[in-house]
Amino acid sequence: MNSRLITGQNLRKSFNDGNLSVNVLKGVEISIEKKQSISIIGASGSGKSTLLHLLGGLDVPDGGDVLINGRSINKLDDDERGQIRNKHLGFIFQFHHLLPEFTARENVAMPLLIRRHSKKSAFSKAEEFLSEVGLSARMTHKPGELSGGERQRTAIARALVTNPSCILADEPTGNLDEKSANDVFELILKLNQNYGNSLIMVTHNLELSRKTNQVYELKDGILKTL
Ligand SMILES: Nc1ncnc2c1ncn2[C@@H]1O[C@H](COP(=O)(O)OP(=O)(O)OP(=O)(O)O)[C@@H](O)[C@H]1O
Ligand SMILES: [Mg+2]
């Protein structure tokens, strides 16, 4: 069995803005193995989020292919892509995307409730993961009643609660102060080691990126090893 979890092969992506076409990715090669942590740095607009969306099957490439657990994303329809995402991947977005009208516990339980777990077992798992991220005293707070760092930690708990093979994190520390950013980063790395999932992290922060197993830079549409 191949230990490669996600592979991007010769990934190309452009966007059309009116009559102007922007080539964002011009042949990106990347692969992540089980339990590995990698980070992707690059200037604003260099295509980091675009690449992460392709690797997570949220969008399809114009050229090249993404293999998730050996299955080609190009050969799947939207439903099948959704199933692969649900089964194997956990997303942490730059802006937490928590549901404002639900409590932290309900937000974290949501992916399990969607999978038709009972409310009791979903809530108990949510509580376990919220404790893991240091939020046992915030279970019934709504996102508006949490600090920025607490919201990001809730989003981390939500991404991990389904025990995904790989976490894809898009600047999860981007809008936090230095101390909170560092804490959240360390937490994601610790959980990556404890739970044995792989991690692909997009960040602006070169210093933090060096804590992952491998650092890449996206520049001029190409990914280079740093
Ligand atoms: N849906 C879209 N339609 C048109 N252009 C897009 C779209 N998504 C991204 N782009 C363009 O592609 C380029 C790369 O965007 P992307 O969001 O991947 O950059 P990024 O590296 O994540 O930047 P940042 O660090 O600011 O988040 C940008 O020039 C952006 O304007
Ligand atoms: Mg981005």
Side-chain angles (χ1 to χ4, degrees):
M1 181 63 188
N2 196 325
S3 67
R4 283 185 181 174
L5 199 61
I6 303 181
T7 306
Q9 298 169 334
N10 196 19
L11 290 176
R12 293 169 181 276
K13 185 79 182 172
S14 16
F15 293 105
N16 288 313
D17 249 343
N19 48 12
L20 195 76
S21 173
V22 190
N23 292 323
V24 180
L25 305 178
K26 302 176 184 168
V28 166
E29 302 284 341
I30 185 170
S31 75
I32 182 152
E33 301 188 359
K34 288 187 177 140
K35 301 188 182 186
Q36 194 188 10
S37 63
I38 66 178
S39 45
I40 300 169
I41 64 161
S44 178
S46 59
K48 304 181 298 297
S49 296
T50 303
L51 175 57
L52 207 67
H53 290 164
L54 295 183
L55 295 175
L58 291 167
D59 197 0
V60 283
D62 298 328
D65 202 359
V66 172
L67 305 176
I68 303 178
N69 254 353
R71 295 194 64 188
S72 160
I73 226 72
N74 282 331
K75 300 201 179 93
L76 306 173
D77 63 28
D78 286 355
D79 280 354
E80 291 170 318
R81 282 214 315 275
Q83 280 165 23
I84 296 241
R85 273 202 308 273
N86 280 338
K87 191 157 170 217
H88 297 294
L89 309 177
F91 291 90
I92 306 171
F93 297 97
Q94 179 165 12
F95 303 102
H96 53 79
H97 289 259
L98 297 172
L99 301 167
E101 66 275 33
F102 292 99
T103 65
R105 183 169 54 198
E106 288 165 339
N107 267 286
V108 176
M110 204 61 78
L112 298 174
L113 294 171
I114 289 167
R115 275 156 223 232
R116 301 181 183 283
H117 288 228
S118 72
K119 195 172 168 187
K120 186 163 180 267
S121 92
F123 270 35
S124 123
K125 262 264 173 294
E127 285 170 13
E128 177 190 329
F129 277 84
L130 280 166
S131 303
E132 188 75 77
V133 299
L135 291 179
S136 37
R138 296 285 184 280
M139 305 281 187
T140 56
H141 285 55
K142 292 183 178 169
E145 301 159 349
L146 297 169
S147 75
E150 288 170 344
R151 280 180 218 145
Q152 276 312 49
R153 284 189 275 150
T154 306
I156 293 168
R158 182 184 54 180
L160 282 160
V161 77
T162 54
N163 192 24
S165 327
C166 187
I167 298 281
L168 297 110
D170 196 352
E171 307 217 27
T173 61
N175 51 356
L176 301 178
D177 64 61
E178 198 181 322
K179 166 84 168 66
S180 310
N182 207 44
D183 290 350
V184 166
F185 204 98
E186 293 286 352
L187 176 68
I188 294 174
L189 284 177
K190 186 190 100 184
L191 295 171
N192 154 246
Q193 277 157 20
N194 290 357
Y195 289 95
N197 58 270
S198 308
L199 172 68
I200 305 178
M201 172 113 71
V202 164
T203 176
H204 272 112
N205 191 320
L206 182 61
E207 196 188 325
L208 291 180
S209 75
R210 292 196 197 283
K211 297 181 182 200
T212 60
N213 302 145
Q214 175 81 60
V215 186
Y216 293 99
E217 183 182 19
L218 187 56
K219 197 174 172 190
D220 302 326
I222 300 290
L223 199 65
K224 297 193 191 89
T225 312
L226 271 197

